[in-house]
Amino acid sequence: MMKLIADSSANLTMLEGVTYQSVPMTIRAGERDFVDDETLDTHELLDYLAAHNGKSGTACPSLDGWLKAFEGADEIFVITITSSLSGTCASAMAARDVYLQSHPEVKIHIFDTLSTGPEMQLLAEKLAELHAKGLPFDVICEKAQEYLATTHLFFSLKSLHNLAQNGRVSKIAAGAIGILGIHILATASLEGTIQPVEKCRGEKKTCAAMVQKLLEADYHGGKVRIHHAENPETAGALAAALRDRFPWTLLHLFPQADIKSYPLRGLCSYYAERGGVIVGFETM
């Protein structure tokens, strides 16, 4: 049996056509621990974090969490958040080494996406597609890694409060963003780090800038996955703007742009904060 596993920053709880499992990460703030599983109330999490002025942070899945997820499968594909900002990939690799000692016949491949959220979803969808074709394990790994090189990530943040509390940006910079009402537009760098690319004021300008960045990155139709933190309005406006750029073809039977929108789960909600939007897309 094949199993597809991702940490919870992929924002997926299921994936059609495959056995899928999400391994939860944890958000810690003050005396509260929020486990990023299907029972997490992200609205409550966002409210709590907005009111919390102390230190906060995140924790990667435990070794035991990965080991339990591996059980029952012969071929396992694991998708993780960027190793440049999280120990999740390292913990998955450590679990793989432990598991293979007692299950040497099992095949396990770990993809360090150097990204998060919707770009992880795109890879998961590609893996499911390749598996459905009946391709050998090694061929799936090779083709999926090639596909990952054609996907990209941009995101818009209205607040840097949690990034500052987590020590990833300065509190002075975070405070200035909040006061001035500026949105930060950023991308996942080739090294898997946060790379700011533009500052915008207001939702409309941010949406227009996001569309422009996708076009500059050579998006010309295909898949776009939009994940948002309680901001369906901007996600919808972005989707509409892209569909206007890439209208339906072949007598309107097939869309040039395959665009879907999803709410963020806990881990990405922590970093994106309320109003944040994360966009993954392919440039094949």
Side-chain angles (χ1 to χ4, degrees), residues 16 18 31 61 88 104 112 114 117 141 157 164 175 187 226 230 239 245-246 251 255-256 276:
E16 187 175 348
V18 296
E31 298 181 353
T88 299
D112 176 4
L114 298 177
C141 293
L157 305 180
T187 187
I226 305 172
E230 298 189 350
R245 287 272 188 169
F246 299 94
L251 300 178
Q256 284 185 275

Side-chain angles (χ1 to χ4, degrees), residues 91-125:
S91 71
M93 289 182 174
R96 176 196 60 189
D97 294 344
V98 170
Y99 194 78
L100 290 178
Q101 290 178 10
S102 55
H103 301 80
E105 75 286 356
V106 174
K107 297 179 180 179
I108 304 175
H109 186 87
I110 298 174
F111 294 90
D112 176 4
T113 63
L114 298 177
S115 189
T116 191
E119 194 169 358
M120 295 172 67
Q121 179 180 354
L122 288 172
L123 178 59
E125 291 177 3

Side-chain angles (χ1 to χ4, degrees), residues 18-32:
V18 296
T19 300
Y20 177 83
Q21 186 164 345
S22 174
V23 180
M25 302 175 78
T26 303
I27 300 95
R28 293 173 174 163
E31 298 181 353
R32 294 286 303 273

Side-chain angles (χ1 to χ4, degrees), residues 165-182:
Q165 297 299 85
N166 193 239
R168 301 205 182 274
V169 300
S170 76
K171 291 186 177 181
I172 295 176
I177 295 300
I179 293 172
L180 297 175
I182 293 173

Side-chain angles (χ1 to χ4, degrees), residues 4-168:
L4 180 54
I5 303 169
D7 67 68
S8 59
S9 71
N11 300 310
L12 292 174
T13 57
M14 63 171 291
L15 187 63
E16 187 175 348
V18 296
T19 300
Y20 177 83
Q21 186 164 345
S22 174
V23 180
M25 302 175 78
T26 303
I27 300 95
R28 293 173 174 163
E31 298 181 353
R32 294 286 303 273
D33 278 2
F34 296 88
V35 179
D36 191 13
D37 59 18
E38 292 85 349
T39 67
L40 177 65
D41 184 336
T42 53
H43 183 78
E44 178 192 0
L45 169 68
L46 287 167
D47 281 348
Y48 183 87
L49 291 171
H52 178 68
N53 290 317
K55 187 176 180 181
S56 62
T58 61
C60 62
S62 67
L63 188 72
D64 187 56
W66 287 116
L67 293 175
K68 288 181 179 179
F70 293 161
E71 293 177 358
D74 303 307
E75 296 185 346
I76 302 170
F77 301 96
V78 180
I79 302 173
T80 75
I81 190 173
T82 173
S83 61
S84 294
L85 298 176
S86 171
T88 299
C89 186
S91 71
M93 289 182 174
R96 176 196 60 189
D97 294 344
V98 170
Y99 194 78
L100 290 178
Q101 290 178 10
S102 55
H103 301 80
E105 75 286 356
V106 174
K107 297 179 180 179
I108 304 175
H109 186 87
I110 298 174
F111 294 90
D112 176 4
T113 63
L114 298 177
S115 189
T116 191
E119 194 169 358
M120 295 172 67
Q121 179 180 354
L122 288 172
L123 178 59
E125 291 177 3
K126 175 57 69 172
L127 285 165
E129 174 190 319
L130 294 170
H131 173 70
K133 293 180 179 179
L135 297 174
F137 182 85
D138 291 342
V139 174
I140 292 177
C141 293
E142 180 182 355
K143 289 185 175 296
Q145 196 65 51
E146 290 173 354
Y147 175 74
L148 187 57
T150 71
T151 61
H152 310 276
L153 190 88
F154 281 99
F155 50 95
S156 166
L157 305 180
K158 297 172 70 173
S159 170
L160 301 179
H161 176 266
N162 293 336
L163 284 168
Q165 297 299 85
N166 193 239
R168 301 205 182 274

